[in-house]
Amino acid sequence: MGYPLSGTTVYCLYTHTGASGTTADLETTEAEIAAALDEMHPDDRTIAIRLLNIYEGVLDEEDEAGDGLEIYKELEMDNLPRALAQVDWSGTAAEIAGRLMSNLILKHALPNANHRCSISLLETYLEFCSREDALKFSMPHTHTPAFEWQEWVNEYIRESKRILTIRRNNVRFDALRDAGCEVVVRKGDIGIHLAEWNLDMHYREAWTEYAQLHEHLCIGFAEEVTRRGGAPALGELSGLTKQEFASLLRE
């Protein structure tokens, strides 16, 4: 089907086959979650439990606001150890924290709030690293009481969502650009100017290239957090390994 795109806004509604509604509509049971945790390596299990606790805190905040948290997919427990396995746990504290955040977002294991929960786990990781090096790190405020991202954080989140969208759709977007489309606007009014992105590649190549770009973005976010949090040295000092991080979480 052809559309004259020049100077025209075209609206496309796409539906998905995932979950919908709020977290009350999730099909995953507590028994299934417990069984999935039992199958994980102890270090992965410890980190996964902390992430789930963070997610539960987000749910409580949303319930207090009176709206409940909308979901668009089921909880995918198997993706948590897969995300942790993708993290390179060598390098500076900021680098590892950024990789941890990035891979949790890329795997999108949670039904929603993956960015919020991944940033909260990044905060925990950096706090433990600063404690080990006797630094005074305090996580800068990343959102207002109304859960609106402040300006400096919002730029990272919006760029993250652009990368995620292009990573899944580079072939489609390349065809749209060839047809004359200049901008794709995704949910949240996030514009993607197609001329600014490398789209002409096999989708598997794009899957890898944009994952690396996303990780680079999140490392930059982590380094910005350490500067704003009063501990820029975390951008230079060695970070904790997965085993060390999990051990501190257990304690």
Side-chain angles (χ1 to χ4, degrees):
M1 300 174 66
Y3 297 90
L5 295 179
S6 179
T8 302
T9 299
V10 178
Y11 295 92
C12 301
L13 174 67
Y14 95 88
T15 59
H16 59 80
T17 58
S20 60
T22 66
T23 49
D25 301 306
L26 285 173
E27 296 179 359
T28 308
T29 66
E30 290 187 7
E32 290 171 334
I33 294 173
L37 288 169
D38 286 342
E39 294 179 0
M40 294 181 190
H41 183 280
D43 292 337
D44 291 344
R45 183 187 309 125
T46 299
I47 299 171
I49 289 173
R50 173 55 65 95
L51 186 68
L52 292 174
N53 287 340
I54 292 170
Y55 179 61
E56 187 175 2
V58 171
L59 297 184
D60 290 342
E61 289 180 352
E62 294 290 343
D63 287 341
E64 290 176 6
D67 299 325
L69 186 67
E70 182 183 2
I71 61 171
Y72 53 85
K73 60 189 287 294
E74 288 291 334
L75 176 62
E76 297 176 342
M77 292 292 295
D78 290 346
N79 274 344
L80 292 176
R82 290 171 185 161
L84 297 175
Q86 290 293 320
V87 177
D88 178 0
W89 294 86
S90 62
T92 68
E95 288 171 340
I96 299 171
R99 294 185 195 121
L100 177 61
M101 169 185 165
S102 176
N103 283 284
L104 288 171
I105 292 172
L106 288 172
K107 287 298 183 184
H108 251 59
L110 303 175
N112 204 336
N114 285 274
H115 281 83
R116 269 186 278 178
C117 294
S118 299
I119 289 173
S120 291
L121 195 61
L122 170 145
E123 174 184 359
T124 301
Y125 181 85
L126 291 176
E127 285 177 347
F128 283 163
C129 290
S130 65
R131 187 187 308 170
E132 290 294 296
D133 291 304
L135 300 173
K136 293 183 178 180
F137 170 75
S138 178
M139 184 70 176
H141 293 296
T142 53
H143 59 75
T144 67
F147 313 115
E148 296 289 338
W149 292 110
Q150 289 183 353
E151 183 175 353
W152 75 272
V153 179
N154 194 47
E155 287 307 308
Y156 285 99
I157 302 306
R158 291 172 70 87
E159 188 69 2
S160 169
K161 292 185 176 181
R162 289 189 188 98
I163 294 170
L164 295 176
T165 304
I166 292 170
R167 185 172 182 248
R168 294 190 296 264
N169 296 284
N170 76 292
V171 175
R172 298 179 182 89
F173 288 177
D174 193 34
L176 281 174
R177 184 170 59 186
D178 289 344
C181 179
E182 297 179 356
V183 181
V184 171
V185 182
R186 57 155 284 157
K187 184 176 70 173
D189 199 31
I190 298 174
I192 301 172
H193 294 262
L194 299 182
E196 298 176 359
W197 300 86
N198 181 15
L199 304 173
D200 185 15
M201 67 181 93
H202 192 278
Y203 73 89
R204 292 187 185 278
E205 183 182 352
W207 197 252
T208 300
E209 180 171 318
Y210 283 108
Q212 293 171 345
L213 182 62
H214 189 267
E215 187 172 280
H216 180 74
L217 174 75
C218 292
I219 290 173
F221 173 76
E223 291 172 342
E224 179 75 4
V225 164
T226 63
R227 288 192 292 269
R228 290 176 177 267
L234 291 174
E236 302 174 0
L237 297 173
S238 297
L240 300 167
T241 65
K242 180 167 70 170
Q243 294 77 14
E244 292 169 336
F245 181 44
S247 176
L248 288 169
L249 283 172
R250 281 191 288 269
E251 292 175 7

